[in-house]
Amino acid sequence: MCKTVRQYSKGVIPERDMEKLREIAEDYRKVKNYVYARYGSIGSLSKLYPGYTVQNEMTASGLRSDLEMPSVYFYLAVFDALGDIKAQWSRTKSKILELVGKHEGLSPEEKHYLRFLMKVNNAFEAVLNEKEIRLPKELQKKQEELASLVDTEKLHRYLCRQARKYHEKQHTSAADGFALSEKAYRYGDHGIYISIKEKRKRVFVPLTDNNEYKRQLYIRLYPDEGKLEVRAPVDVAVKSHKDYTNVVGIAMGYHTMLTTDQGHRYGEELGRYQTEYAEWMRRQTGIYNRNRKDNPGREKYEARKRRYTSQLHSYINQELNRFLREEKPEVVYMAKLPKPYGGGVSRKINHSVSMWQRGYIRRRLELKCSQQSVEMAEVFGKGISSTCSSCGAKGVKADGIFRCPLCGYESEEKVNTARNVKKRGTEDESA
């Protein structure tokens, strides 16, 4: 497995050195925006995979010479932007697939044909650019078979409309970081030497630790604080535990992070952390809106926000580690998380719920389970908190307690939910 570790600069970076690093970040931004503008549209779809055409064209463009930018940064910026463009096309396709699935006016045959077009890159690109679809023999045969059942002209127009409507050409105004290859840096003297635009010269930045990495790194700059952050991808060995044999159902909550089917609680301070964070955000938003005409700076606000987020995430990770260490699970079952909905009881409540780190918690739990060879599985979540885990009847929830009027079972609401999660997971496996 691979994860990202972070290193931090020690002390304040001299303004002159920070300016040299910011110059690289600004050029990096310009290159990315050039790639976004030139290759982010429909006409460049055929050039995105594997990307060497773009690399050759960018070399011939003369942009690197104009910027006097070292190649160790220039080509990383190109492929960084290409990755963003590919990700944007993936989001566009996902959106169109969602719309196709919900479209009541399309027949099953029409939906099948549209899904085929979006799955096969050459077909998708040909339709959007109004070209003849030419595919390898087997795929061509399949396309012709599906096309014979539908009005292809109508469906091609529909696909083009949706792509134009939902595909976004990207642009970045942030010049706050850049990637660098192994040739662009070296560790030494309790810090890191980073290549700059001047030939054979590097900026030295002391670090808070003495770890050294031989990977492509990413430098994130915080010029207002005179600091930087080094992000390094590292390989992590997957561990296996012979004593991890338990099957655990969990329920996630806003105030208590995780509750198990046995009633064990992890992250009981989560609600306090999140409420404090939400209250501070709400106050700051009000202050900023009242003083917007005076154009107040946001540097202190952003720094404080990072501290709150870092503190919250540290607590979440600490409690997830404790959960795995104490529960020793072989399998962890959890309910599928519903999509967050807009609107609600009040602005104050909505603001607090928007701070809920449930997506982050789920991602971190999934990662940590993978690292420890623990299986993590989701179960169908509809009605899971209102169903009695003892008899299956519909119960009543009040003040955090679940009561079943049929069999008399009574427990904490989250415990009942976790028991249902485990029950659904194990029943699905035995079915």
Side-chain angles (χ1 to χ4, degrees):
M1 292 187 63
C2 186
K3 72 173 185 178
T4 300
V5 297
R6 288 169 168 77
Q7 295 178 293
Y8 302 94
S9 59
K10 184 177 181 181
V12 177
I13 300 173
E15 188 174 340
R16 183 180 177 183
D17 290 346
M18 178 61 76
E19 193 57 39
K20 292 177 180 178
L21 297 175
R22 290 184 70 182
E23 187 178 2
I24 297 171
E26 176 61 25
D27 288 348
Y28 199 88
R29 182 189 71 84
K30 289 177 180 177
V31 173
K32 289 183 69 174
N33 282 335
Y34 185 94
V35 175
Y36 291 152
R38 186 168 176 178
Y39 301 102
S41 61
I42 290 171
S44 297
L45 259 173
S46 61
K47 299 179 180 179
L48 299 183
Y49 302 93
Y52 297 117
T53 301
V54 175
Q55 182 181 7
N56 293 335
E57 289 185 3
M58 288 298 294
T59 301
S61 70
L63 181 62
R64 187 171 83 84
S65 299
D66 293 342
L67 296 175
E68 298 181 351
M69 189 178 185
S71 61
V72 289
Y73 298 120
F74 180 78
Y75 291 109
L76 287 180
V78 170
F79 282 101
D80 195 357
L82 273 181
D84 292 340
I85 293 171
K86 292 175 184 178
Q88 179 59 50
W89 274 115
S90 295
R91 289 191 290 271
T92 301
K93 287 183 179 180
S94 295
K95 180 63 178 178
I96 298 174
L97 283 170
E98 180 187 345
L99 294 172
V100 168
K102 294 179 179 179
H103 199 309
E104 296 180 355
L106 294 173
S107 68
E109 292 79 14
E110 290 174 324
K111 291 182 178 181
H112 191 185
Y113 180 70
L114 286 169
R115 288 172 181 141
F116 174 86
L117 293 179
M118 282 182 281
K119 186 177 181 180
V120 181
N121 280 330
N122 289 347
F124 182 69
E125 183 264 324
V127 170
L128 294 190
N129 285 284
E130 299 180 1
K131 297 179 181 178
E132 182 182 353
I133 298 176
R134 294 181 179 178
L135 303 172
K137 187 175 180 180
E138 289 300 317
L139 285 176
Q140 188 72 37
K141 183 179 178 181
K142 182 67 175 177
Q143 188 270 332
E144 291 172 357
E145 179 186 329
L146 295 175
S148 66
L149 304 174
V150 298
D151 181 350
T152 57
E153 186 177 346
K154 181 189 80 170
L155 295 181
H156 290 182
R157 288 199 304 268
Y158 172 81
L159 189 57
C160 290
R161 283 199 308 272
Q162 301 309 315
R164 287 194 298 269
K165 184 176 181 179
Y166 292 103
H167 185 67
E168 298 177 5
K169 287 187 70 172
Q170 294 160 293
H171 180 87
T172 179
S173 57
D176 55 4
F178 52 89
L180 65 167
S181 64
E182 290 182 49
K183 294 181 180 180
Y185 70 90
R186 68 175 177 84
Y187 285 96
D189 303 319
H190 307 291
I192 185 171
Y193 290 87
I194 301 173
S195 295
I196 56 176
K197 294 180 69 172
E198 298 175 48
K199 289 185 178 180
R200 299 181 182 179
K201 289 191 178 182
R202 302 191 178 201
V203 164
F204 175 70
V205 179
L207 299 175
T208 56
D209 64 59
N210 294 321
N211 296 330
E212 298 184 6
Y213 304 99
K214 291 185 177 180
R215 291 290 187 89
Q216 178 180 306
L217 304 178
Y218 186 84
I219 303 295
R220 175 69 187 275
L221 303 176
Y222 299 99
D224 294 330
E225 302 171 36
K227 297 179 181 179
L228 65 74
E229 176 185 88
V230 180
R231 299 176 185 176
V234 297
D235 295 320
V236 179
V238 177
K239 299 177 182 178
S240 180
H241 306 272
K242 292 182 179 180
D243 58 337
Y244 277 35
T245 58
N246 297 323
V247 177
V248 181
I250 61 171
M252 189 181 294
Y254 179 85
H255 294 286
T256 298
M257 183 172 70
L258 299 179
T259 302
T260 73
D261 58 284
Q262 296 296 316
H264 305 155
R265 300 177 183 84
Y266 299 90
E268 293 183 272
E269 293 294 308
L270 181 67
R272 180 178 65 80
Y273 278 106
Q274 293 186 138
T275 301
E276 288 179 1
Y277 185 18
E279 283 294 313
W280 177 79
M281 286 282 288
R282 189 169 61 86
R283 290 195 303 270
Q284 292 300 314
T285 300
I287 293 171
Y288 179 74
N289 289 335
R290 286 194 298 271
N291 299 314
R292 188 186 294 271
K293 292 182 179 179
D294 297 329
N295 193 24
R298 301 286 275 177
E299 292 84 3
K300 291 183 179 179
Y301 165 81
E302 293 295 342
R304 182 78 176 273
K305 184 179 177 181
R306 285 196 295 270
R307 287 197 295 272
Y308 266 117
T309 304
S310 177
Q311 184 183 40
L312 184 56
H313 287 180
S314 294
Y315 177 72
I316 288 170
N317 284 290
Q318 172 188 314
E319 287 298 289
L320 289 178
N321 290 336
R322 187 168 72 88
F323 163 73
L324 293 172
R325 189 171 60 249
E326 295 184 5
E327 294 297 325
K328 293 180 169 44
E330 180 181 15
V331 183
V332 174
Y333 290 109
M334 70 176 294
K336 289 184 179 179
L337 295 176
K339 293 182 180 179
Y341 292 95
V345 178
S346 69
R347 283 188 177 183
K348 185 175 180 180
I349 292 175
N350 290 343
H351 208 93
S352 297
V353 173
S354 70
M355 294 295 105
W356 188 6
Q357 300 286 310
R358 62 180 188 170
Y360 177 80
I361 294 167
R362 188 199 178 286
R363 291 192 299 272
R364 295 302 296 175
L365 178 59
E366 189 176 37
L367 175 64
K368 291 176 183 294
C369 283
S370 299
Q371 291 173 347
Q372 305 299 328
S373 299
V374 175
E375 181 185 351
M376 182 175 162
E378 289 185 325
V379 302
F380 184 58
K382 187 175 181 179
I384 204 161
S385 64
S386 58
T387 302
C388 177
S389 59
S390 180
C391 70
K394 187 173 182 180
V396 179
K397 297 180 290 182
D399 300 323
I401 302 298
F402 175 89
R403 295 180 178 86
C404 178
L406 187 62
C407 71
Y409 173 74
E410 182 177 313
S411 76
E412 185 185 338
E413 181 186 329
K414 291 298 181 184
V415 174
N416 177 68
T417 301
R419 288 183 58 177
N420 278 326
V421 169
K422 181 178 177 180
K423 190 175 179 180
R424 289 187 184 184
T426 52
E427 285 177 353
D428 286 346
E429 287 194 349
S430 61

